[in-house]
Amino acid sequence: MPALVRHLFPLAKPRIVLLVVFIAAAGTWKAAGGQPDPATLLAVILAVAVAAAGSNLVNQGLEADIDAVMRRTRGRAVASRQVSALAVIAVGLILVAAAVVALAVAANLLAGLLTLAAAVTYVLVYTVVLKRRSWNNIVIGGAAGAFPPLIGAAAVSGHIDALGLYMFAFVFFWTPPHFWTLSLLLREDYAAAKVPMLGAIASPRDTAIQIKLYILLLAALTWLPLAAGYGGLTFAVVGTLLTGYWLRASRSLGGGASPSQTLAAYKFSLLYLALTFLILAIEPMLPWYA
């Protein structure tokens, strides 16, 4: 048990949890027009953090065999058999259940059910069904990461609206180019583990084309809130500039990009998502926003 407790924090992937919590908080803030109820915001932050951590624990328990093959992950506690996979999965399931119930009570039932849907999508749809079988694993299963801002919006309004669906769609379309860039760096690892991630089964050129097409789609999506009436010109312009920089950082992918250039493009994709949601959240507080 002491070994399990010691390893739970790194197994929960805290850096990923931090980004997930950030976009959930941003979604809550935006849905509340820049004036969220503190109790609701806190409930979303805590519930999403606990649910994301729990889902990551279950994921690592189920993927121990894959992690043991890949150089990047073979040192993880479950893959290296420092802790029991079943114990990690059990703790993860308990955390997810606690988060779902807590948010349903603290906010509303819909927010709790959406939290459950995110965990089910990540654990069952992505990890169990798709990851080992289809190159579309991250396209479909990656929807799990798109739920947090929708959860935040639902916690504020009590229903699913156009703004919540927009934020869900934005993260949904951000996910493939983000992970496919990583797959270019880990081609050999994914191939050795027999995981059909696009970068491991397609040529670098074809993978890069898909990455750039998705980034261009995101550039178009930054203008949708302005056209639909739930965003302003600031988000559209800043979002376009950020997307343009990401496209520029990805320009050499598939055409002789060095590992350091590919890594830089991957890291910027993380910063891109955080900055985009930051602008979306704070825009209603700008004096010229209307």
Side-chain angles (χ1 to χ4, degrees), residues 248-263:
R248 182 176 181 276
S250 304
R251 68 188 184 284
S252 58
L253 298 180
S258 66
S260 62
Q261 289 174 315
T262 305
L263 180 61

Side-chain angles (χ1 to χ4, degrees), residues 8-134:
L8 283 179
F9 185 75
L11 285 172
K13 301 180 181 178
R15 287 182 294 182
I16 294 176
V17 171
L18 182 62
L19 179 60
V20 168
V21 168
F22 183 84
I23 62 174
T28 308
W29 198 280
K30 173 65 176 179
Q35 296 180 322
D37 173 62
T40 300
L41 180 61
L42 180 61
V44 169
I45 289 173
L46 293 178
V48 169
V50 171
S55 298
N56 287 334
L57 291 175
V58 176
N59 168 267
Q60 294 210 41
L62 295 173
E63 291 188 348
D65 59 327
I66 294 177
D67 287 346
V69 175
M70 299 178 66
R71 289 171 297 176
R72 184 176 67 97
T73 57
R74 63 179 54 155
R76 289 176 177 174
V78 182
S80 58
R81 299 186 179 182
Q82 299 177 62
V83 295
S84 162
L86 288 177
V88 170
I89 292 172
V91 173
L93 291 174
I94 291 170
L95 291 179
V96 171
V100 170
V101 173
L103 191 56
V105 172
N108 55 65
L109 180 60
L110 177 60
L113 291 176
L114 289 173
T115 304
L116 177 60
V120 170
T121 302
Y122 184 52
V123 171
L124 292 182
V125 178
Y126 173 67
T127 303
V128 175
V129 177
L130 291 175
K131 185 167 185 177
R132 303 170 192 251
R133 294 178 175 86
S134 172

Side-chain angles (χ1 to χ4, degrees), residues 128-238:
V128 175
V129 177
L130 291 175
K131 185 167 185 177
R132 303 170 192 251
R133 294 178 175 86
S134 172
W135 71 271
N136 276 309
N137 47 22
I138 204 64
V139 177
I140 301 171
F147 275 95
L150 178 59
I151 293 168
V156 171
S157 67
H159 61 270
I160 295 176
D161 56 15
L163 173 61
L165 289 174
Y166 169 77
M167 293 188 291
F168 177 95
F170 196 92
V171 183
F172 180 83
F173 289 115
W174 166 87
T175 303
H178 164 70
F179 274 100
W180 287 340
T181 303
L182 178 65
S183 74
L184 288 173
L185 285 170
L186 303 175
R187 286 175 59 86
E188 295 180 1
D189 272 4
Y190 282 125
K194 298 181 180 179
V195 175
M197 198 66 72
L198 185 62
I201 63 172
S203 69
R205 178 180 178 275
D206 288 342
T207 303
I209 289 173
Q210 291 295 318
I211 289 170
K212 292 168 187 176
L213 287 174
Y214 269 85
I215 295 174
L216 288 172
L217 176 58
L218 289 171
L221 281 177
T222 59
W223 289 87
L224 182 56
L226 178 63
Y230 48 80
L233 185 61
T234 300
F235 175 73
V237 172
V238 175

Side-chain angles (χ1 to χ4, degrees), residues 174 241-247 249 263-273 275:
W174 166 87
L241 292 174
L242 288 170
T243 311
Y245 187 89
W246 185 8
L247 188 62
L263 180 61
Y266 169 73
K267 288 183 175 180
F268 182 76
S269 69
L270 293 165
L271 180 62
Y272 170 86
L273 186 65
L275 290 177

